[in-house]
Amino acid sequence: MMTAHVALLGIALAASAGRRVPPRAPEDRIAFHREVLEDGVELVVLPVPGATRASIRYVIRAGSAFDPPGKDGLAHLLEHVIATAGEGRGSLLEDVEVGGGEMNAFTSDGATIFALDAPARAFPELAARLVSTVTNPRLEARKIAREQEVVQSEGERARGGGAIGLAENALFRPPGSTLGTGLTRGNITREDLTAFYGARYLPSATTVVLAGDVTPDQGRALLERAFHLPPSLASERFAPRIGTPMVPIDEEIRAPVQGVVFGYRLDQADRALCDSLAELVGGRILTELYVKRPVVAEVDVACHTLRGNLFLLAAAYSRALDEGDLPAEVEALFRTAVDRPMTIAERATLERRRSRRIDALRESPPALAMTAAMLATLPREGDEAPIELLSPPLAGPRPLQEFARRALDPARRVRINLSPLRN
Amino acid sequence: VTRAVAVVVAAALTGGAGTAAAGPLEIERVEIPGGARVLLAPRAARRATLVVQFAQGSVDDDNRSGLTRLVQHVLLEANARLDWPGTIATLHAGGGTLTIQTDLRSSAFVLEADRREFDAVAPSLIAALLGPRVDRVRFPGAIRRALHDAKAPGRGSGLLELVAQTASSDPRYHNEPWGDPDQIELVEPQAVEELLRGPFSPANARIVAAGSFDKARLVAAVRRSTGGKPVERPPAPFALPVTSHERAAREMHILAWPFDVEWPQDAAATRVLAILVQRVLWQRFREAGLAYSFQVAADRSPGLNLFVVALPIRRDAGPAAGAALAAALEDVRIGKFDDALLERARAIALGQLAADDESPDTLAAALAAGGELWHGRAVRDALQALDRRAFGAVAGRLLARERSIALHFGPDVEGRRR
């Protein structure tokens, strides 16, 4: 009952807006409103009527890929300086906490995201302050020096970002360096930060995602009140920086775990099909290598965008060092998607998983907002983020088998063995 | 297997039956003579979390390291009362999870799922865990799964384990939670069955459910099995105070104190203390550019409550940071902070309590770790009434120097223990 109510209201809200996509069927899609405002900012609203908490993700579609040569770590340092604006009492960070909320910020190669979740009653004021802080930052020299020191501590604690992060470093040369090094960060000046902010923190490179008991009108009002940047000029637009992966790849790298990252590079346009294929292959690996035989301790099959490239990757961990040929077994189970179409039982399972995933997102504004924010960072055709991928349809057995035939191309294969014994 | 399938079908047929949500912070205790202790927190949610916790952890393995972990695998995979593949298939289809946790002083099974899968799986899981029958044909499979865990490279230790291992004079605290492969291979089914009659018996179990679930069916499943004799688990034998210096890859200071919660007022003050210390460390270390992040936690588990402050710090900050950390905590202990800071910490604690109450997994974990003394209306009332004097009494007692554990890890640290 609640689900239908959410979706129906979402459609009603979408019907009152300007540039937008047509509403989706309410029962199996997540309702959303998406528009590009006159100044170039993309506004995405994900209504969850009655939600007790609300979330905002302020997304800048530029990250460490845009760090100037020799100044690795700049985008991340800038994120730190902005996110920690103010000190002690009265600072946004502390007021968010007192208000029962949480605030954080993230920098990747392709994007910078400022995140805030708060109880519904406190949300409007705190979200407005976040937008105001990001669009009108004070880049004080003292704060910059302090955050340089803090990032040094962060760097000493960094551990490499898990199996997918290790795979990413193997796939791209040179390896990414969001944090930079002490040397490269030492080259960064206040003028560099100001220049980066001026060139990249543009309305046309910004997506603001709101999730919760929030309407598009309230979203627009929030930006009108708190957004301080001038409208983007056509000449200011910049293209995303897409890395060139080294595929096929077959390598063994040193890692704290025993396992394999196996999969394929796909075309970005195949994102929805990728999700279906990941679900099918993931279920088969779980059944064969976890339930029937304890070959893997954990397995995660998912679609990842790494430096603007789409990959279907399985990260499978084996706790025993002497338990068969894990990479070959995982590869064989990928190949079953070509040889053996999805069964009726598998389809029922995947449909249920999809339905539950949508239900779970509908109940959690933070998860909904973050998932939409990640979609907003993907390379895109035109102005609009592919928010419809929040609830992509499950592909049928035949189309999925045909896709697998095309996509599981040995020339695009990724096989990276992880081993603590590798020197 | 037939029995388990029948349960799943029955659940599907009665899937519409539900349980009315209780009010915020309302916890219901169900008394079952000779059976498990049950705490229920029905809430208006789409999902639910179940914790089945037993009073047996890796410390209790004595010289058979890994026995607890093996028993947990047997309860799932070599238990004639449970359709293990069917359970996993149901959970996978519904996006749910079932995990096993092996801690120093307790072990637990945690089920997290949409209410539809939860109501299908939870009653049969409870019945199987509280009234198991070891399937000797499937026993070697459970051994193999336990060996996988024990052979895992690079497992490391959690913060709580690290502190307890260092501070305790009892060598059993050095038992690896996932065990020693050589010893696991030697375990016979009889040894497992003996534990199932003892610390894994219903009388030594705690059942916690939070979120949206069919209360009547869940409680009926718990009532089905009773028996066993409650085991005594004495508190960890710390020889306080403890100071230790150990070589490690990264620079980190840890201060910890064992603590007790006898009244909701203790829980309220300890919750506020954790937040207040967090604020003080933010001012003295984060805003000074010395640290990226730090951890302040009141970790609770049966027989082992530790208030832990962990400060990873830049290598060049070294020993001086340890002295600064101790000074910061001493200032809190003697009340050297203003009323406004205490008031803000109290407001944050109240907000966190309310937020925890809305999240089934967080709520279930809180109740499993600390029971009603840690979460509930009495704690909220105590938080609302908390004044500086009451806070100072708890903080002064908890942070006493003579009861502290001080650990320093770092690449340049000489010596090991003094």
Side-chain angles (χ1 to χ4, degrees):
Chain A
M1 180 61 92
M2 184 179 162
T3 300
H5 180 61
V6 169
L8 289 172
L9 186 57
I11 288 164
L13 294 168
S16 67
R19 274 174 64 190
R20 62 187 69 86
V21 296
R24 299 289 199 161
E27 65 276 10
D28 73 340
R29 303 284 167 92
I30 290 173
F32 62 87
H33 167 89
R34 175 182 57 198
E35 67 178 308
V36 178
L37 303 173
E38 281 184 10
D39 62 358
V41 172
E42 180 178 48
L43 172 65
V44 173
V45 179
L46 302 150
V48 186
T52 56
R53 295 179 77 81
S55 299
I56 180 171
R57 300 292 180 270
Y58 189 108
V59 182
I60 297 104
R61 296 190 294 279
S64 58
F66 291 92
D67 287 346
K71 302 193 178 193
D72 293 346
L74 192 154
H76 176 246
L77 177 63
L78 181 58
E79 169 243 289
H80 263 248
V81 175
I82 293 172
T84 57
E87 276 183 7
R89 275 164 223 162
S91 74
L92 177 57
L93 270 172
E94 177 143 340
D95 285 350
V96 167
E97 203 175 5
V98 171
E102 293 174 15
M103 184 180 150
N104 212 331
F106 316 91
T107 304
S108 65
D109 68 296
T112 307
I113 299 176
F114 297 88
L116 186 153
D117 309 311
R121 66 182 181 286
F123 180 75
E125 179 59 30
L126 293 173
R129 284 179 62 188
L130 174 72
V131 171
S132 181
T133 297
V134 178
T135 58
N136 187 25
R138 293 169 61 191
L139 305 180
E140 298 172 56
R142 184 175 61 85
K143 294 279 182 62
I144 294 168
R146 183 190 78 185
E147 291 309 314
Q148 287 267 28
E149 298 292 324
V150 171
V151 174
Q152 177 68 27
S153 300
E154 185 180 357
E156 289 180 12
R157 294 189 65 207
R159 288 188 175 212
I164 299 300
L166 292 169
E168 182 179 352
N169 283 342
L171 280 163
F172 295 91
R173 291 285 184 271
S177 181
T178 298
L179 291 181
T181 65
L183 189 64
T184 61
R185 287 194 300 271
N187 295 332
I188 298 169
T189 64
R190 183 176 183 278
E191 288 66 37
D192 292 327
L193 294 176
T194 305
F196 188 98
Y197 185 87
R200 305 300 173 196
Y201 278 55
L202 302 173
S204 59
T206 298
T207 301
V208 174
V209 179
L210 298 169
D213 199 348
V214 184
T215 66
D217 283 344
Q218 288 168 333
R220 281 185 224 104
L222 165 72
L223 294 180
E224 196 164 318
R225 178 158 67 107
F227 194 89
H228 298 298
L229 293 172
S232 282
L233 303 173
S235 59
E236 288 178 324
R237 290 172 182 264
F238 58 88
R241 294 200 172 153
I242 311 289
T244 304
M246 299 193 302
V247 288
I249 185 170
D250 189 350
E251 278 192 12
E252 181 165 309
I253 59 176
R254 185 176 169 81
V257 293
Q258 179 81 11
V260 64
V261 175
F262 183 88
Y264 296 86
R265 181 192 170 201
L266 308 179
D267 294 330
Q268 204 51 263
D270 289 325
R271 178 80 197 199
L273 284 164
C274 180
D275 286 336
S276 293
L277 191 54
E279 283 285 297
L280 178 68
V281 172
R284 289 180 177 177
I285 292 177
L286 180 80
T287 302
E288 297 298 326
L289 301 186
Y290 180 79
V291 177
K292 289 187 180 174
R293 290 186 297 134
V295 176
V296 297
E298 290 175 49
V299 61
D300 179 42
V301 184
C303 303
H304 299 268
T305 295
L306 306 177
R307 313 232 188 145
N309 298 268
L310 178 64
F311 291 87
L312 167 61
L313 296 174
Y317 308 97
S318 172
R319 284 178 178 147
L321 300 173
D322 52 358
E323 195 68 58
D325 187 352
L326 181 62
E329 297 219 49
V330 171
E331 179 168 13
L333 287 163
F334 265 77
R335 299 302 305 175
T336 63
V338 176
D339 304 329
R340 183 158 48 92
M342 180 175 20
T343 64
I344 293 172
E346 284 177 322
R347 185 169 191 172
T349 295
L350 267 51
E351 288 285 9
R352 181 137 61 115
R353 281 177 59 80
R354 177 178 179 277
S355 167
R356 296 293 188 271
R357 178 180 164 276
I358 290 171
D359 286 347
L361 280 176
R362 279 176 174 148
E363 194 173 64
S364 170
L368 193 52
M370 187 53 93
T371 308
M374 297 310 294
L375 292 173
T377 68
L378 298 181
R380 54 177 68 186
E381 301 287 335
D383 288 339
E384 296 181 331
I387 303 299
E388 60 278 4
L389 290 176
L390 277 170
S391 46
L394 180 67
R398 288 291 164 204
L400 194 57
Q401 188 179 23
E402 283 164 20
F403 171 62
R405 259 187 211 120
R406 172 166 58 87
L408 305 191
D409 177 358
R412 293 175 156 216
R413 192 178 64 183
V414 175
R415 186 161 74 175
I416 298 170
N417 294 337
L418 311 172
S419 172
L421 303 181
R422 171 80 180 177
N423 289 320
Chain B
V1 172
T2 307
R3 182 191 177 103
V5 170
V7 170
V8 170
V9 172
L13 293 174
T14 59
T19 298
L25 298 168
E26 203 170 284
I27 311 298
E28 184 178 341
R29 175 192 287 265
V30 181
E31 299 292 345
I32 300 174
R37 290 158 296 156
V38 180
L39 292 177
L40 304 176
R43 298 289 185 269
R46 194 181 292 277
R47 301 180 76 79
T49 299
L50 169 76
V51 180
V52 181
Q53 184 187 59
F54 292 99
Q56 166 85 11
S58 60
V59 168
D60 308 303
D61 287 345
D62 293 328
N63 57 356
R64 294 181 294 180
S65 175
L67 187 56
T68 297
R69 185 77 175 179
L70 172 61
V71 171
Q72 292 186 277
H73 281 296
V74 169
L75 281 169
L76 293 180
E77 293 183 62
N79 185 346
R81 301 284 302 278
L82 184 69
D83 172 16
W84 159 250
T87 300
I88 293 297
T90 302
L91 290 175
H92 175 65
T97 58
L98 173 60
T99 55
I100 61 176
Q101 297 172 353
T102 312
D103 298 321
L104 292 170
R105 305 300 304 271
S106 64
S107 46
F109 300 82
V110 182
L111 168 69
E112 197 277 325
D114 181 279
R115 61 188 169 212
R116 289 158 284 191
E117 283 73 34
F118 186 90
D119 284 340
V121 169
S124 54
L125 180 66
I126 289 170
L129 295 177
L130 296 184
R133 186 155 53 85
V134 176
D135 180 339
R136 299 199 174 205
V137 174
R138 285 150 63 187
F139 189 81
I143 290 263
R144 195 170 165 204
R145 189 86 68 178
L147 285 172
H148 264 259
D149 289 351
K151 289 179 180 175
R155 282 175 291 160
S157 290
L159 205 50
L160 194 69
E161 287 78 18
L162 190 64
V163 174
Q165 284 169 3
T166 311
S168 171
S169 54
D170 185 340
R172 298 179 307 154
Y173 278 79
H174 289 268
N175 283 347
E176 288 284 358
W178 293 356
D180 175 351
D182 293 337
Q183 298 195 41
I184 290 170
E185 280 184 317
L186 300 175
V187 177
E188 296 290 338
Q190 292 89 335
V192 171
E193 287 166 338
E194 190 181 322
L195 250 66
L196 294 178
R197 288 190 293 272
F200 281 93
S201 62
N204 290 296
R206 173 185 268 177
I207 311 285
V208 175
S212 176
F213 55 88
D214 186 333
K215 187 170 85 179
R217 291 190 60 222
L218 191 140
V219 172
V222 182
R223 287 189 192 280
R224 211 176 297 164
S225 299
T226 57
K229 186 180 170 189
V231 295
E232 293 292 324
R233 297 292 187 220
F238 295 135
L240 302 173
V242 174
T243 302
S244 175
H245 301 261
E246 299 203 23
R247 191 181 291 274
R250 293 177 180 80
E251 193 79 22
M252 180 162 70
H253 292 277
I254 296 176
L255 286 176
W257 291 262
F259 71 96
D260 296 316
V261 177
E262 293 181 8
W263 304 97
Q265 287 78 3
D266 298 333
T270 306
R271 280 173 170 269
V272 171
L273 177 64
I275 295 162
L276 192 141
V277 170
Q278 189 103 25
R279 301 309 313 165
V280 168
L281 296 190
W282 180 275
Q283 290 162 5
R284 298 200 187 184
F285 292 93
R286 179 62 174 78
E287 290 186 351
L290 291 171
Y292 166 61
S293 66
F294 35 82
Q295 186 177 339
V296 183
D299 275 317
R300 290 141 292 117
S301 64
L304 185 63
N305 290 340
L306 278 175
F307 187 87
V308 183
V309 180
L311 179 69
I313 199 144
R314 281 172 29 196
R315 185 172 178 173
D316 58 8
L325 178 64
L329 271 293
E330 176 64 8
D331 284 350
V332 173
R333 189 185 72 79
I334 62 175
K336 205 167 158 187
F337 51 83
D338 60 33
D339 289 341
L341 183 60
L342 177 61
E343 188 49 40
R344 288 169 87 85
R346 197 171 67 95
I348 292 169
L350 276 163
Q352 286 181 353
L353 188 70
D356 290 354
D357 199 65
E358 292 180 2
S359 165
D361 55 346
T362 308
L363 176 53
L367 289 172
E372 298 150 285
L373 279 176
W374 191 255
H375 185 101
R377 288 184 173 174
V379 178
R380 179 200 57 195
D381 294 347
L383 274 170
Q384 287 171 337
L386 186 74
D387 58 19
R388 188 166 183 125
R389 188 190 56 77
F391 174 80
V394 173
R397 191 170 64 237
L398 195 156
L399 300 178
R401 275 186 176 174
E402 63 273 18
R403 300 182 66 247
S404 68
I405 298 164
L407 313 179
H408 176 205
F409 300 89
D412 306 320
V413 172
E414 300 288 337
R416 182 174 154 73
R417 188 168 184 143
R418 71 181 188 198

